[in-house]
Amino acid sequence: MRIAVLGATGATGQEIVRQALFQGHQVTALVRRPEALDVTHDALSVVVGDATEEAVIAGLVPGHDAVICSLGRPESGHSKAAIDDSLDVDVCFVSTQHLYRHLPKHGIRRLVVMSTHGSGSSNDGSPYVVQLRDWVGKRVKDKDDMEAFIEDHRADPIDFTVIRNPLIYPGQGGRPFGVFEQVEFDDTSRIPVSDLARFAIAEAVDGRFVNRFVSISEPLTGPSAAKWHLAR
Ligand SMILES: NC(=O)c1ccc[n+]([C@@H]2O[C@H](COP(=O)([O-])OP(=O)(O)OC[C@H]3O[C@@H](n4cnc5c(N)ncnc54)[C@H](OP(=O)(O)O)[C@@H]3O)[C@@H](O)[C@H]2O)c1
């Protein structure tokens, strides 16, 4: 497949690019900092631009079969410790609106979008979500707005999967993980970046959770473990 990846210099985005190339896909990476993309490959094209600019998205999407959006922290090139969480963030909301405008023009239906567990209908008032929203409220608000837009546009010719992440960590993947439409997370919830990337690509290719908002995590070991509801 021909897959465009937004947020391709991020921790998850880079892993998506790497794994998609390894699986034999053609990949276009949208980046602001090409020097931060640690991958080279004959099947990789790099487009430099800001995902909030409609012209960038309009120029990016033609010729692809699917788009995976792993946009996150807005401040380019900063370490996590240097991120200013008091700033307003709208990169996910704005870029999603551009994608919904331009994907249908080219007959592209598959869109996989990274979100955060605790946004939209997963804002369940649990201790995990209350603490998360307290820490990174403005970034979660961007995801809320993005999810509300996607929900409001279900009638559009887009087959989406929204993946609501817990803590993403760089450890070794390959253990079982669950995919849930309704789940209460706790501070044992987490997903290795390699499994998350594999899941996102599988959704772009096979779409098992089309038009669903799903949370993903390794098995919980904390107090929420008994409350899981499997999506399928
Ligand atoms: N990390 C976690 O524990 C965690 C937890 C819950 C949810 N999530 C969500 O899961 C997804 C993946 O997380 P992650 O930690 O892998 O992401 P990340 O490392 O923060 O990467 C974010 C990516 O978005 C890019 N970006 C931001 N604004 C942009 C813009 N205006 N134009 C173009 N690119 C832009 C960044 O580019 P630059 O390299 O130029 O900055 C970077 O490539 C994100 O949606 C995140 O919010 C993450």
Side-chain angles (χ1 to χ4, degrees), residues 51-69:
T52 61
E53 290 177 18
E54 184 166 357
V56 169
I57 300 297
L60 174 76
V61 296
H64 293 91
D65 303 303
V67 174
I68 302 177
C69 193

Side-chain angles (χ1 to χ4, degrees), residues 6-14 30-33 36 49-53 69-78 80 83 89-92 95 113-117 128 132 139 143 146 163-169 191 193 196:
L6 281 63
T9 51
T12 309
Q14 296 236 22
L30 177 66
V31 300
R32 294 183 293 190
R33 302 176 298 134
D50 190 305
T52 61
E53 290 177 18
C69 193
S70 188
L71 294 162
R73 289 176 291 123
E75 293 151 297
S76 191
H78 284 55
K80 281 199 194 320
I83 296 296
V89 184
D90 63 2
V91 58
C92 294
S95 60
V113 181
M114 296 291 174
S115 188
T116 300
H117 182 84
Y128 172 96
L132 172 89
R139 275 188 272 149
K143 306 291 206 243
M146 174 187 77
I163 306 173
R164 291 168 168 163
N165 296 319
L167 175 72
I168 301 165
Y169 73 98
I191 190 79
V193 67
L196 177 59

Side-chain angles (χ1 to χ4, degrees), residues 74-107:
E75 293 151 297
S76 191
H78 284 55
S79 71
K80 281 199 194 320
I83 296 296
D84 181 353
D85 280 319
S86 68
L87 295 177
D88 286 331
V89 184
D90 63 2
V91 58
C92 294
F93 179 44
V94 170
S95 60
T96 299
Q97 292 175 76
H98 298 332
L99 287 166
Y100 267 67
R101 201 164 302 124
H102 290 280
L103 291 178
K105 291 181 183 171
H106 305 280

Side-chain angles (χ1 to χ4, degrees), residues 142-199:
D142 184 26
K143 306 291 206 243
D144 288 340
D145 293 343
M146 174 187 77
E147 290 200 11
F149 177 86
I150 291 172
E151 184 64 54
D152 287 348
H153 288 78
R154 277 189 181 273
D156 288 19
I158 302 274
D159 298 327
F160 69 83
T161 305
V162 173
I163 306 173
R164 291 168 168 163
N165 296 319
L167 175 72
I168 301 165
Y169 73 98
Q172 196 183 354
R175 287 181 295 282
F177 60 82
V179 180
F180 310 93
E181 285 194 298
Q182 209 195 335
V183 63
E184 184 177 325
F185 276 178
D186 59 36
D187 52 16
T188 65
S189 307
R190 58 182 204 158
I191 190 79
V193 67
S194 54
D195 288 342
L196 177 59
R198 184 161 48 87
F199 179 69

